[in-house]
Amino acid sequence: MKLVGLIDCNNFFVSCERVFAPALVGRPVVVAGNNGGCVVAMSGEAKALGIMRGLPVFKARDLMRRHDVVVIPGNHRLYGDLSARVMSTIESVGTDIEVYSIDEAFIHFPDMEPENVEKMAREIVIKVRRDVGIPTSLGIAPTKTLAKVAARVAKKNPAQRAVYMIDSEERRRDALRKMEVGDIWGIGRHLVARLKKIGIGSALEFADMPESDIRRVVNVTGQRTWRELNGVACVEKDPEADVKKQICTTRTFASSVSDLPQLRELVSLFMSKASLKLRRQRSAAKGISVFIQTNSYLKDSRQYCNSVYRQLEEPTNDQLTLVSQSIDALDDIYREGLSYRRAGVIITDIIPQEAIQPTLFSSADDRAKRNRLNDSVDHINSMSEIHDKIRVAATSHENYLIPGLSIPL
């Protein structure tokens, strides 16, 4: 049976804030919009107090004071960076993913026995929590819509240990029975009102409707959702999903690295790999981020984790430019005397290569020369039996990476 998964980051914005502020774990936390006017995300503890998304902060100010709720202005650059790290970590397990939103992705599992799929799913959840610090829930099913249902079960039922698989008729019906029709992916409020008028309140009641009634009551999209709930895959992979909106390359080192020159070499290597992916999809980037992190498992050691964003003067996919910018960004956040165990680069704000708007002072001749250089290097490396035969001079310390986690081209 071919299975698809939906991985969902739990309370994503709040979880991102907790990565850099562990003292917030267990406390009620609210993330406010950029202007601080409305609640855009909340922790489970805040939700239990009755705080909901979209609530104006001023209306809940007294409640928040009484319960010592922490209110944080949204940092969407941070959330985008951590989202890219989550998606990169999922891909490193060897799965084909389709990013659905900043905190969700569909996972297309290899064709294998269901018990092996579930084992891989648990490995993914554990790895994302360990390497990025973000808790997730993962639902597995024969269709995308059922995978969404399964992810909801995994999130709401701690006994499932963050993973739930719909691999039988009994599990499918049990999951749908406990779900309201309005919570089904793709069912809007107008259709919910129409269904409730004819006595359809649960997802199972909707799935059990005769096909003749479905054709009469709902549109083509609703019919597709009905088939998906009955185990017939109808939602195809988005053809644009392969064009990544962010490219993230992160790795854990085999041993801690303290020396700045060694970190520069590793970050340069990461950016070289990431820039190749950018050129392969004929895109350019308007910004990059670099992050470094100490070993969080060494509780007696000084902990440090930081990232920095650099906006580029002109969108580019030029390897030399991106490597240079990443080294400068690393220098801004490096702190001497610490042992770093993890680092990475994130290429963001990606646009089609044809949409590059040159700056007033850029040179068309220089861009043409760099494009020819990149094309030549990429071609030689693709034809060579030696991996990365030509590389930027700063990238010579691939041996610092944990064996088996080297970055594939």
Side-chain angles (χ1 to χ4, degrees):
M1 184 193 310
K2 196 72 173 178
L3 296 168
V4 62
L6 187 281
I7 188 165
D8 184 6
C9 299
N10 302 340
N11 301 321
F12 182 58
F13 289 177
V14 173
S15 295
C16 290
E17 298 291 347
R18 285 172 168 171
V19 168
F20 293 93
L24 296 177
V25 175
R27 296 187 61 184
V29 179
V30 162
V31 175
N34 291 333
N35 59 2
C38 293
V39 174
V40 298
M42 57 276 166
S43 66
E45 297 83 358
K47 190 181 297 184
L49 297 174
I51 299 172
M52 302 301 293
R53 186 177 291 107
L55 177 70
V57 172
F58 78 89
K59 288 188 176 181
R61 188 165 287 122
D62 291 340
L63 175 67
M64 292 178 180
R65 285 173 179 167
R66 285 199 308 273
H67 294 279
D68 195 23
V69 177
V70 180
V71 181
I72 301 173
N75 183 349
H76 294 278
R77 183 69 63 188
L78 169 68
Y79 309 150
D81 288 354
L82 285 177
S83 172
R85 289 165 64 178
V86 168
M87 303 308 170
S88 177
T89 301
I90 297 169
E91 285 182 308
S92 71
V93 179
T95 58
D96 177 23
I97 76 167
E98 181 183 347
V99 178
Y100 177 66
S101 68
I102 192 171
D103 62 344
E104 292 178 292
F106 289 107
I107 302 175
H108 300 273
F109 289 100
D111 193 2
M112 58 175 68
E113 294 298 320
E115 57 267 25
N116 292 330
V117 171
E118 185 171 1
K119 181 180 178 182
M120 177 180 284
R122 295 198 182 279
E123 289 176 358
I124 290 171
V125 169
I126 292 171
K127 185 174 179 61
V128 171
R129 184 61 182 265
R130 182 190 66 216
D131 292 355
V132 189
I134 301 295
T136 59
S137 302
L138 206 166
I140 310 163
T143 72
K144 288 183 175 180
T145 305
L146 281 175
K148 277 265 195 179
V149 174
R152 183 183 177 89
V153 175
K155 180 180 290 188
K156 290 184 174 293
N157 189 350
Q160 302 302 328
R161 295 184 295 122
V163 174
Y164 186 76
M165 177 186 291
I166 296 177
D167 58 348
S168 68
E169 180 65 7
E170 180 182 359
R171 283 196 164 198
R172 183 187 72 88
R173 296 186 66 82
D174 185 58
L176 294 179
R177 185 179 295 110
K178 299 173 182 176
M179 186 176 186
E180 293 185 8
V181 69
D183 293 327
I184 301 173
W185 181 42
I187 300 294
R189 65 179 184 274
H190 296 299
L191 180 55
V192 170
R194 196 185 318 158
L195 290 170
K196 287 190 174 180
K197 284 182 179 179
I198 60 174
I200 303 298
S202 73
L204 181 60
E205 290 172 337
F206 176 72
D208 282 346
M209 288 178 66
E211 187 171 3
S212 57
D213 290 348
I214 285 291
R215 289 176 177 172
R216 177 174 52 85
V217 174
V218 304
N219 59 17
V220 174
T221 301
Q223 293 174 33
R224 184 177 63 184
T225 300
W226 176 81
R227 291 190 183 94
E228 286 256 326
L229 291 177
N230 284 287
V232 180
C234 301
V235 181
E236 300 295 332
K237 185 176 179 180
D238 183 356
E240 295 185 1
D242 292 331
V243 179
K244 299 180 183 298
K245 304 299 187 296
Q246 290 183 324
I247 296 175
C248 178
T249 304
T250 72
R251 289 297 181 269
T252 301
F253 308 146
S255 57
S256 296
V257 177
S258 302
D259 189 41
L260 178 58
Q262 293 176 3
L263 276 176
R264 285 174 174 167
E265 293 169 5
L266 287 165
V267 167
S268 299
L269 173 66
F270 298 159
M271 184 54 78
S272 295
K273 304 289 188 181
S275 69
L276 175 61
K277 295 178 183 178
L278 190 66
R279 292 191 296 277
R280 280 180 171 173
Q281 68 175 37
R282 295 188 59 79
S283 299
K286 295 193 289 185
I288 65 165
S289 294
V290 175
F291 78 90
I292 50 177
Q293 181 179 354
T294 55
N295 191 342
S296 58
Y297 291 98
L298 298 179
K299 302 302 182 183
D300 296 334
S301 301
R302 181 183 166 194
Q303 298 298 311
Y304 177 73
C305 181
N306 202 357
S307 64
V308 62
Y309 172 78
R310 284 291 183 90
Q311 185 169 356
L312 305 177
E313 292 183 0
E314 178 181 303
T316 185
N317 57 23
D318 174 53
Q319 180 178 0
L320 296 179
T321 300
L322 293 171
V323 166
S324 175
Q325 289 289 332
S326 65
I327 292 175
D328 288 344
L330 171 67
D331 291 348
D332 286 346
I333 58 175
Y334 173 77
R335 298 293 180 269
E336 192 173 357
L338 299 176
S339 296
Y340 299 96
R341 192 65 192 278
R342 189 170 177 82
V345 301
I346 304 168
I347 296 177
T348 59
D349 302 324
I350 294 176
I351 63 172
Q353 185 173 286
E354 296 77 16
I356 295 176
Q357 291 291 330
T359 63
L360 181 63
F361 301 104
S362 64
S363 167
D365 288 341
D366 288 343
R367 287 198 306 275
K369 289 178 181 178
R370 286 294 181 91
N371 288 338
R372 289 196 297 271
L373 175 61
N374 285 309
D375 290 344
S376 298
V377 170
D378 294 344
H379 177 70
I380 293 172
N381 283 335
S382 68
M383 299 295 291
S384 173
E385 295 180 0
I386 302 175
H387 182 66
D388 280 0
K389 188 170 186 178
I390 298 179
R391 59 170 62 181
V392 176
T395 60
S396 62
H397 275 283
E398 196 164 357
N399 55 301
Y400 285 101
L401 301 176
I402 289 180
L405 291 184
S406 57
I407 310 161
L409 283 173

